[in-house]
Amino acid sequence: MAVPLRPLVAALCVGLVATLFTTAPTNARAEAPSDAEAWTVSAAPGAPRARIALDEDTGAVSLAVTRGGRTVIEPSPVGIVTESADLSTSLRSLGRTDRQIDERYRTKSGKRLERRVRMQETRLSFGTAAGDRFDLVVRASADGIAYRYVLPAGSGDVLRETSAFNLPPDADAWLGTYRADNEGQFTQYTASTAPTGEYSDQALFATAGGYTLLAESDLTGAYSGARLAHDQGSGTYRIKLADDRVDAEGQLATPWRAMVTGDLATVTRSTFTDDLAPGSKVTDSSWVRPGSVLWTWLAGGREAGQSLAAQKSYVDYAAERGWPYEAVDAGWYYKPGEWETTDPDWQTNSWMPELVDYARDKGVGIVVWIHHRDLDTPQERAQWLPTLERWGVKGVKIDFMDSETQSMLQWYDTILPATAEHHLMVDFHGSTIPKGIQRTWPHVMTLEGVAGEEKRTNTAAHLTTLPFTRNVIGSMDFTPGAFQRVGLRPNSDAAETGLPVVYESGLQMYAGTPESYDARPLAREFFDQLPAAWDDTRLLSGKPGKEAVLARRSGERWFLGGVYAGAAHTAEVPLSIGSGQWLVETIRDGADGLVRKRQVLRGGETLGVDVVANGGFAGIACPWRPGVTNCAR
């Protein structure tokens, strides 16, 4: 489907900003300003509180965040510079409106399917003596603070933001070095001792007011992606855009600068970045079905991708396991022995229709890998997407975008409605990170944007940090389950078994070989039972870089996953999954392989698990009644 880029972007942008500018004020929960030059915004007592201040001498605007009277973000600069004006200084207040947001929506995947959004929104208008102006829109909820700039038509292109986040210098910080593919390793520093450089905007800090994850939401081709620029010795993290200039046509609403804030359990469970994003643009999403996927890249590589016989054998295994999908990675449409050249007659020569038919007869759907460069023109999209739909392919894994520039984000704006039109679920690799995309486009099942199972440099500390950073903001295609990569992964088999619970993904791509699963029947049985969509998520215990134990509920069963970094020990996990008695099955590392233990515990009691060095565990908890001996379904 050929979709003109600029008209689409302009229409979306104008519609959004028109809505923003015409919102009528309502009765406000936000507090009245303490004086003419300061305003506070909060959703409820005890929730994070934003204080916006206008300096009377410089005319500069700052924003600070507290929680429970304690510092989260110190007063930080707010402002934006366009072709026509520097809107970071010499400003005066032009007015304020307030409204309450109360919404419900349902997702296809994620930490929980049913969502409730309650936010307080305050819009503050600022202008210069020359007549230039912008609105600062601030939203506050129980788990975060966010703001965006709204610029009227005629403001010109955006040259930069002066936005920054000032953290207490001694705040603990978990940062991922910025990479275009968002696959940097997370490392712990303090806010001031982190080396000079650029970091991913999914940065986690621990302050007196609790934990805060910096993030971005509602990023489209109307703007550029952001990263954090930092100078060692300072607690300041500045917003740096991917482009030197953002092309702005007409009115503009920038992405949200978000601060997910609370205790660690609140941050981990938060859906704040999704809640900020626009509602679904897919009218009928009944064809979108999360599920487990047998992924064949680490299992067989490009050679397997070029072999119909190999792919049929993988389909057979997925069908035997009851896994709903099998993913065919790179190689299936290349000429044998080549990597960079596609076959111009791929539609005629491909064996993919035969594989799709074979898999359909066995109750397995096919997901196919495709390079971004083969979908980057209207002609290519018109050739590929209808063909894949006609064959019966269920989803596409699109790879190697490796950019958050405005032009690439405009490509996302085009490929998202096009894949939805052709009923193709999407897994983005070499990509941006979620940033609210899964609420707006629910057929986006997962995104990479992570140093995942393919990496040979991952550490156990990195694995225990991801649930509190990258995976907070949306589905993460880590591709767990690569049991065959002994020595290439930093964790134990029991920890690997628990990863599909610790890491949420709408398409959970299992990276092992059939032989590696068969050699570990307890892990295989656990994977067979795992859903890919959850009714609820809870953090049972955790500390970034040290441990992460999550519980995710499907129906009345809770699935447990724990990963640890450090020496062998007995982990004590609060079973905070509800009252009553629970049959708890855990899979642990034993002397000769994985072992299972069953015990009955009451909700709130402590689950003790022996963990090997850099190990972990997996488990299932189901309500116990007389006669219940296992949690299998």
Side-chain angles (χ1 to χ4, degrees):
M1 180 183 72
V3 180
L5 294 181
R6 288 188 181 274
L8 175 63
V9 173
L12 291 174
C13 184
V14 169
L16 171 63
V17 179
T19 299
L20 290 172
F21 270 107
T22 57
T23 299
T26 64
N27 292 331
R29 182 187 296 269
E31 296 179 4
S34 57
D35 57 59
E37 305 299 325
W39 307 262
T40 58
V41 189
S42 182
R49 180 182 304 273
R51 183 179 188 273
I52 306 95
L54 177 63
D55 188 285
E56 295 182 352
D57 295 326
T58 65
V61 178
S62 65
L63 183 144
V65 179
T66 58
R67 177 173 167 266
R70 296 178 178 270
T71 297
V72 172
I73 302 290
E74 296 179 345
S76 303
V78 171
I80 190 167
V81 180
T82 72
E83 282 183 310
S84 63
D86 181 348
L87 297 171
S88 66
T89 188
S90 302
L91 299 171
R92 57 195 177 95
S93 175
L94 300 179
R96 165 185 178 169
T97 59
D98 301 279
R99 68 173 182 132
Q100 294 177 354
I101 298 169
D102 192 340
E103 301 172 343
R104 294 182 185 271
Y105 67 99
R106 182 175 174 84
T107 65
K108 303 298 290 191
S109 59
K111 300 172 192 177
R112 55 187 177 276
L113 301 181
E114 298 291 341
R115 310 280 180 90
R116 178 76 179 270
V117 181
R118 289 173 171 168
M119 296 186 189
Q120 175 64 39
E121 179 182 284
T122 291
R123 176 187 296 270
L124 300 169
S125 298
F126 297 99
T128 68
D132 298 291
R133 59 159 289 180
F134 75 100
D135 285 359
L136 178 68
V137 184
V138 182
R139 286 188 180 177
S141 75
D143 56 352
I145 299 290
Y147 69 87
R148 77 187 324 169
Y149 307 109
V150 179
L151 301 170
S155 298
D157 292 352
V158 174
L159 304 183
R160 67 182 185 277
E161 291 185 29
T162 60
S163 315
F165 302 95
N166 289 334
L167 281 303
D170 61 350
D172 287 333
W174 292 267
L175 306 173
T177 301
Y178 178 79
R179 291 174 39 142
D181 58 8
N182 290 291
E183 295 179 22
Q185 291 275 328
F186 281 92
T187 305
Q188 184 175 353
Y189 308 98
T190 66
S192 63
T193 60
T196 297
E198 295 180 359
Y199 297 94
S200 168
D201 63 352
Q202 46 186 326
L204 180 69
F205 298 91
T207 68
Y211 286 85
T212 294
L213 180 70
L214 303 184
E216 189 173 30
S217 182
D218 194 16
L219 175 64
T220 71
Y223 211 68
S224 286
R227 64 197 73 162
L228 299 173
H230 170 68
D231 295 322
Q232 190 171 32
S234 165
T236 299
Y237 289 78
R238 306 180 306 278
I239 291 293
K240 181 178 179 180
L241 301 178
D243 294 287
D244 293 331
R245 175 187 294 259
V246 177
D247 183 12
E249 296 184 357
Q251 297 172 323
L252 173 66
T254 71
W256 294 100
R257 304 280 165 242
M259 293 149 277
V260 185
T261 300
D263 59 23
L264 197 58
T266 298
V267 171
T268 306
R269 191 174 184 268
S270 173
T271 60
F272 188 53
T273 53
D274 280 347
D275 298 344
L276 289 165
S280 175
K281 296 182 183 297
V282 180
T283 303
D284 176 15
S285 60
S286 60
W287 51 274
V288 179
R289 297 185 178 94
S292 301
V293 187
L294 177 61
W295 178 52
T296 61
W297 180 249
L298 293 186
R302 180 174 48 169
E303 291 73 21
Q306 294 173 343
S307 169
L308 174 60
Q311 293 303 320
K312 283 185 174 180
S313 71
Y314 290 130
V315 166
D316 291 342
Y317 194 80
E320 179 186 341
R321 302 262 52 83
W323 299 354
Y325 301 107
E326 190 254 348
V328 185
D329 213 282
W332 69 272
Y333 67 90
Y334 289 127
K335 293 179 181 178
E338 295 185 356
W339 176 252
E340 296 296 339
T341 304
T342 58
D343 184 346
D345 299 319
W346 63 270
Q347 288 175 294
T348 302
N349 297 337
S350 179
W351 42 255
M352 186 57 68
E354 181 179 344
L355 178 67
V356 172
D357 291 343
Y358 180 84
R360 183 189 300 111
D361 290 342
K362 292 178 174 287
V364 176
I366 296 296
V367 176
V368 299
W369 180 94
I370 184 169
H371 200 295
H372 152 262
R373 65 162 176 259
D374 295 317
L375 294 170
D376 62 359
T377 69
Q379 295 76 19
E380 289 167 338
R381 292 188 288 273
Q383 180 187 37
W384 278 93
L385 300 181
T387 299
L388 296 176
E389 181 184 24
R390 185 175 68 252
W391 287 350
V393 168
K394 298 300 183 183
V396 286
K397 174 182 173 180
I398 309 175
D399 208 344
F400 292 118
M401 287 71 71
D402 292 340
S403 171
E404 290 183 331
T405 60
Q406 187 176 22
S407 60
M408 181 57 72
L409 295 172
Q410 290 172 347
W411 174 85
Y412 280 99
D413 289 345
T414 300
I415 200 66
L416 288 164
T419 48
E421 178 184 352
H422 293 289
H423 300 100
L424 294 168
M425 296 182 293
V426 179
D427 171 7
F428 285 121
H429 266 233
S431 66
T432 184
I433 50 182
K435 301 185 179 184
I437 194 174
Q438 291 181 278
R439 179 183 182 186
T440 309
W441 299 102
H443 66 300
V444 177
M445 306 308 294
T446 190
L447 301 89
E448 190 182 27
V450 67
E453 196 76 272
E454 290 182 88
K455 303 302 178 186
R456 302 188 177 196
T457 57
N458 282 345
T459 65
H462 172 69
L463 300 191
T464 63
T465 303
L466 291 174
F468 312 114
T469 52
R470 164 62 182 85
N471 209 193
V472 169
I473 60 171
S475 292
M476 181 177 76
D477 195 12
F478 184 89
T479 66
F483 293 105
Q484 75 277 16
R485 291 170 68 85
V486 176
L488 298 178
R489 54 182 171 84
N491 59 346
S492 71
D493 279 359
E496 192 72 18
T497 305
L499 283 186
V501 178
V502 178
Y503 301 153
E504 183 276 323
S505 182
L507 288 177
Q508 192 65 271
M509 299 264 181
Y510 294 137
T513 62
E515 295 78 13
S516 70
Y517 298 130
D518 292 342
R520 299 164 177 83
L522 289 179
R524 182 188 63 194
E525 179 185 319
F526 184 73
F527 284 8
D528 289 350
Q529 298 188 70
L530 279 175
W534 304 103
D535 295 313
D536 199 4
T537 292
R538 294 183 186 178
L539 177 68
L540 300 187
S541 65
K543 182 174 178 56
K546 300 294 184 182
E547 65 172 321
V549 182
L550 280 87
R552 301 189 194 270
R553 182 175 63 83
S554 177
E556 64 178 7
R557 294 192 299 173
W558 287 91
F559 291 81
L560 314 177
V563 292
Y564 298 83
H569 65 289
T570 298
E572 296 186 349
V573 179
L575 197 65
S576 306
I577 57 174
S579 60
Q581 290 185 295
W582 298 88
L583 175 62
V584 183
E585 303 178 348
T586 52
I587 298 171
R588 318 169 185 209
D589 294 294
D592 299 312
L594 296 173
V595 296
R596 176 163 52 201
K597 179 178 180 179
R598 292 188 174 101
Q599 57 190 309
V600 176
L601 296 172
R602 287 192 174 276
E605 290 186 335
T606 297
L607 170 67
V609 184
D610 292 331
V611 176
V612 302
N614 295 332
F617 71 94
I620 307 176
C622 58
W624 180 82
R625 294 176 289 271
V628 174
T629 59
N630 65 72
C631 290
R633 288 284 176 84

